[in-house]
Amino acid sequence: MTIPSGSVGDGSGQRLRRDVRLVGLLFTSVGAIIGSGWLFGAQSAANTAGPAAVFSWIIGGFMIMTIALVYAELGTMFPLSGGVTRFPHYAFGSFASYGFGWILWITCGSAAAIEVEAAMQYSSVHFPSLMHEVDGVPVLTFPFGFVIAVLLMGVLTAVNLYGIKWFARANNALVWWKLAVIVVVIVAFAVTAFHSGNFNLADSAAGGHGGFAPFGLKGILTSIATSGVVFSYLGFRQGIELAGETDNPRRNIPIAVVGSVVLTGALYILLQIVFIGSLSPDALAAGWGKISLASGSTSVFGPLAALATILGLNWLAVVLYLDAVVSPADSGLIYTTSTSRVTYAMGRNRNAPSNLSRLNRRGTPWVSLLLTFFVGVIFFLPFPGWQSLVGFVTAATVLSLGSGALALAAFRRSLPDHPRPFKIPGKDVIPFLAFYSSNLIIFWTGWQTGWKLYVAVLIGYAVFVVTHPFIKDGPALELRSSSWFFPWLGGLALIGYLGDYPDQSQAAGNLGLIGFGWGFVVVLVWTAVIYGWAVRTRLSDAKVARMLASGFVGEEDALDHAKDDGAAIAR
């Protein structure tokens, strides 16, 4: 099957349209990154790391950048919608790619629900019937709050069903708004009140609260995984999910993926600096771990707006409450789009029902979108609040993104001559660092969150076992090429169980035998073992060539080169 250049087909004559241009693709990633994370992350990171939270954003940004660079190269090699799911399929076969697709699908579906909950959490300051506090945590009211959440998910789905062109146009306007609000907050906080003494290195100079890094290096690194730092960066991959719908993937994908991380990283760092500098001595009276924004209950539902109120910037508080609806809603719109592309890709991979790849007359995967809606609604039931789900989403997303580094390492050996409009230097250095970063972040997330993630993976494969016999003409499982997958997860689970994250190991159920320093070493060794194992057992060059030459991957004009690769390997 040959699909004309400029579209991606589902086999029925309908095609995903190429209506997303450079700015649209860049703003898709930026819009997903600037969601609910920045609204909560500055205070949460300061609680965990103190003033040294600034370094949490820098280190976290570097780790995410290594992953983003991997996907920038992969995205220009194979500009496919749902690429995060499909890259491991072509490198390791159906069995491993199903696992990554399942994890990513759950992540995206729950992320859309989280963004809806974040918008409702800020709104509940003025509309208290939407959410209420249970044990100090805001959750949806029932039935009113739950019904409103379902309706908002329905709105996100309806906008996506209308077509990708209109989504891109709406998103561009919303992202300009979100960027403007962050810049205004940074400037307003900086010029209104800035206590430089909050950054002093000496404990005594900082009011006896532990100095610049009251919780040490461990606090800085823990903050990366658990305080919304990584969560705030993760939207970069949305540019990869829509790669098959952009008009010039070779140029647009690297700019969108790398540019979104650089741009938002600079804003996050500046926001963290001005947030810490704007805190008064009264706010720090109980120490960095218990920052107090004493403006009533609003500190629970909106820390930035609460701080703006304390500083007398009531107009800014109004803007923040408005943005707290716009930013998460826009990110939820993007996640709804990308989730449908993940299930579309699983349908194209043929390790899930092919109906998931069906397109409507506007070129939108409507079956996948409807499924995304129902999944998001289901997540409102066990996780009715933002805080109850954010750690799980972070760990699951990073786990799924780890597949990119392994796929790139495999492709550099299987397809050494394949055109790479964007190629990262250093051979295996960046891919290995990206895989190491993913494993470290999962370890830092802690056992309390990790075990839930591993159970979710097992549930996914139980679904696979039940549904696989009903998939007609499904691809070979390639169990040998996927032989590293379960050992990798099992090793991470064991390391997390033996580790000391979180600190109160007895309460979390982990043993605390692997300390902070040894954690780096153990995770490094396990990363090297799995990296080498995956590369060695990858699909054979001949199998990759047959997949490419058969047209199974050939959905883009850039992939026409695959037939040349296949012929060369066959010769």
Side-chain angles (χ1 to χ4, degrees), residues 366-557:
W366 65 275
V367 176
S368 292
L369 272 172
L370 293 178
L371 182 60
T372 298
F373 166 76
F374 287 111
V375 169
V377 170
I378 290 173
F379 269 101
F380 289 138
L381 296 174
F383 303 104
W386 190 90
Q387 286 84 354
S388 63
L389 191 54
V390 66
F392 178 87
V393 172
T394 299
T397 305
V398 170
L399 186 70
S400 65
L401 292 175
S403 66
L406 300 178
L408 181 58
F411 287 141
R412 286 189 169 183
R413 291 159 173 82
S414 298
L415 303 171
D417 299 322
H418 189 89
R420 290 170 169 81
F422 176 84
K423 183 176 181 179
I424 53 178
K427 296 184 179 180
D428 285 310
V429 174
I430 298 299
F432 183 84
L433 286 176
F435 190 49
Y436 183 43
S437 295
S438 298
N439 291 338
L440 277 177
I441 292 170
I442 295 168
F443 176 63
W444 294 337
T445 300
W447 172 249
Q448 197 167 16
T449 299
W451 75 265
K452 301 172 186 176
L453 175 60
Y454 305 129
V455 169
V457 175
L458 293 176
I459 292 174
Y461 274 97
V463 173
F464 178 80
V465 170
V466 173
T467 60
H468 187 71
F470 301 97
I471 299 175
K472 295 181 179 180
D473 301 321
L477 295 181
E478 304 293 354
L479 295 178
R480 177 185 177 277
S481 297
S482 303
S483 60
W484 52 270
F485 183 79
F486 274 115
W488 170 47
L489 295 183
L492 289 179
L494 179 61
I495 294 170
Y497 180 65
L498 297 177
D500 63 349
Y501 286 88
D503 288 329
Q504 297 180 351
S505 58
Q506 296 303 318
N510 53 314
L511 300 181
L513 299 178
I514 300 177
F516 171 68
W518 280 107
F520 283 97
V521 178
V522 174
V523 174
L524 176 64
V525 171
W526 191 237
T527 297
V529 169
I530 298 300
Y531 191 91
W533 187 347
V535 168
R536 182 174 293 274
T537 60
R538 70 188 186 277
L539 288 176
S540 68
D541 297 355
K543 286 184 179 179
V544 175
R546 285 197 297 270
M547 291 175 65
L548 297 176
S550 68
F552 182 62
V553 182
E555 302 173 7
E556 300 287 344
D557 54 336

Side-chain angles (χ1 to χ4, degrees), residues 222-268:
T222 301
S223 176
I224 292 173
T226 63
S227 297
V229 173
V230 167
F231 176 79
S232 298
Y233 279 116
L234 290 177
F236 81 86
R237 65 176 176 76
Q238 306 310 322
I240 300 297
E241 298 298 349
L242 299 179
E245 295 157 79
T246 185
D247 61 339
N248 189 346
R250 290 172 175 165
R251 178 197 65 182
N252 297 352
I253 293 172
I255 295 176
V257 172
V258 177
S260 62
V261 175
V262 172
L263 174 60
T264 55
L267 292 175
Y268 288 154

Side-chain angles (χ1 to χ4, degrees), residues 3 25 47 58 71 79 94 116-117 125 162 176 195 209 227 240 269 275 279 320 370 372 480 483 510 524:
I3 297 175
L25 196 66
N47 280 334
I58 295 173
Y71 280 98
S94 180
V116 168
E117 290 174 342
V125 174
Y162 191 69
W176 279 117
H195 305 281
H209 301 313
S227 297
I240 300 297
I269 293 167
F275 178 85
L279 295 174
L320 280 166
L370 293 178
T372 298
R480 177 185 177 277
S483 60
N510 53 314
L524 176 64

